[in-house]
Amino acid sequence: MWFDKIVGSIEDNVKKVFDNIAEAARKSGRKPEDVILVAASKTNSAERVREAFGAGVRYFGENRVQEMTEKAALGAYSGAQIHFIGHLQRNKVKNVVGSADLIQSVDSDELLELISRRAAGLGIVQDILLEVNIGAEESKSGVLPEGLDELAAKASVLPGISVKGLMTIPPVSADPLDSVRYFDRMYKLFVDISAKKYDNITMDILSMGMSADYAEAISAGANMVRVGSAIFGARQYTK
Ligand SMILES: *Cc1c(COP(=O)(O)O)cnc(C)c1O
């Protein structure tokens, strides 16, 4: 991948990403601060997360509950928001509700119910995004586009949950332009579902775009991007 070649410091990389975000936002008639950068920090140590914080990152995303819990205990996310962005297993719900500021990857009735029950038990309201499988890939998490309405309707009547928007991971492609048609479809879904005005649902956030295609995602209407490798370099899963 092209970003295997990223060798800059975390600080330099963060600056570059913020610059690119600002440019993409302005090009589509928005302000740089209207787009939130979530640094996807999986496999990176708490120290490296703090480096990114030092460079101005205020939102982090983690994929694994245990890694998030361990790094949180080390103060990795102090002063920042932590989002859960990975596939959420049922038996891990209790460890994420109330710990993550936003759970971006909710895609089933069952997860909605478990999160609702846990949040109600804690006496809190958990912010979530509904994850959409926009490419209808068998291997991917996310509700299919045609199932989104039903999931939203379900979420709107459950206590302890507040839906803030949508998230997606489009099919992997070598060409970021391939992502654009999926981003466009997501934006349309986002607008359609906003118009339906469900209780407890505000469509404030459209989370899409990663290292290879966040500029394209912003052009298509994303206001939250999740960027890992372009900030931290290529991931080493073997350590
Ligand atoms: C790892 C990850 C990202 C960031 O991916 P990069 O290509 O490294 O920017 C974004 N979203 C999710 C859900 C991820 O797991």
Side-chain angles (χ1 to χ4, degrees), residues 3 40 42 63 85-86 167 169 209-212 226-230 233 235 237:
F3 43 73
K42 56 179 174 275
N63 292 65
I85 61 175
M167 183 270 240
I169 309 170
M210 313 201 295
S211 290
R226 309 175 311 270
V227 178
S229 335
R235 282 181 286 277
Y237 284 103

Side-chain angles (χ1 to χ4, degrees), residues 18-228:
F18 272 132
D19 283 350
N20 292 339
I21 288 174
E23 191 189 326
R26 282 198 201 93
K27 268 191 198 156
S28 58
R30 287 176 295 163
K31 294 192 285 273
E33 61 268 30
D34 292 342
V35 180
I36 291 176
L37 169 63
V38 178
S41 45
K42 56 179 174 275
T43 78
N44 285 281
S45 66
E47 290 74 24
R48 289 170 64 77
V49 171
R50 289 320 282 172
E51 255 183 87
F53 180 88
V57 174
R58 290 297 176 268
Y59 298 80
F60 292 93
E62 290 288 350
N63 292 65
R64 286 169 183 276
V65 177
Q66 195 184 334
E67 184 178 344
M68 180 179 91
T69 306
E70 285 170 8
K71 280 150 72 173
L74 296 170
Y77 319 114
S78 298
Q81 275 202 19
I82 176 65
H83 295 180
F84 188 77
I85 61 175
H87 176 67
L88 182 54
Q89 292 168 300
R90 282 166 293 165
N91 62 344
K92 300 282 170 61
V93 165
K94 60 179 185 302
N95 302 319
V96 174
V97 173
S99 306
D101 295 288
L102 181 69
I103 304 175
Q104 294 205 12
S105 44
V106 181
D107 63 355
S108 69
D109 280 13
E110 197 183 13
L111 271 180
L112 281 175
E113 273 163 20
L114 289 167
I115 293 168
S116 168
R117 211 174 305 152
R118 176 70 177 168
L122 294 171
I124 62 165
V125 174
Q126 176 68 55
D127 289 344
I128 65 169
L129 302 182
L130 300 177
E131 180 179 353
V132 180
N133 183 357
I134 196 66
E137 296 171 282
E138 240 162 71
S139 60
K140 277 235 173 97
S141 307
V143 64
L144 292 173
E146 55 269 31
L148 179 60
D149 259 327
E150 210 179 306
L151 195 65
K154 171 94 189 182
S156 75
V157 297
L158 287 174
I161 282 185
S162 177
V163 177
K164 298 296 184 194
L166 304 179
M167 183 270 240
T168 197
I169 309 170
V172 176
S173 162
D175 183 355
L177 291 180
D178 286 343
S179 302
V180 169
R181 65 195 174 106
Y182 293 109
F183 293 151
D184 287 344
R185 260 187 238 169
M186 266 311 284
Y187 185 71
K188 189 166 180 309
L189 269 185
F190 179 73
V191 169
D192 288 349
I193 202 133
S194 307
K196 289 186 178 149
K197 303 204 187 315
Y198 289 104
D199 287 343
N200 299 325
I201 296 187
T202 55
M203 284 288 142
D204 294 333
I205 298 175
L206 179 55
S207 171
M208 60 184 189
M210 313 201 295
S211 290
D213 53 21
Y214 60 94
E216 286 81 3
I218 293 166
S219 302
N223 56 16
M224 180 175 280
V225 294
R226 309 175 311 270
V227 178

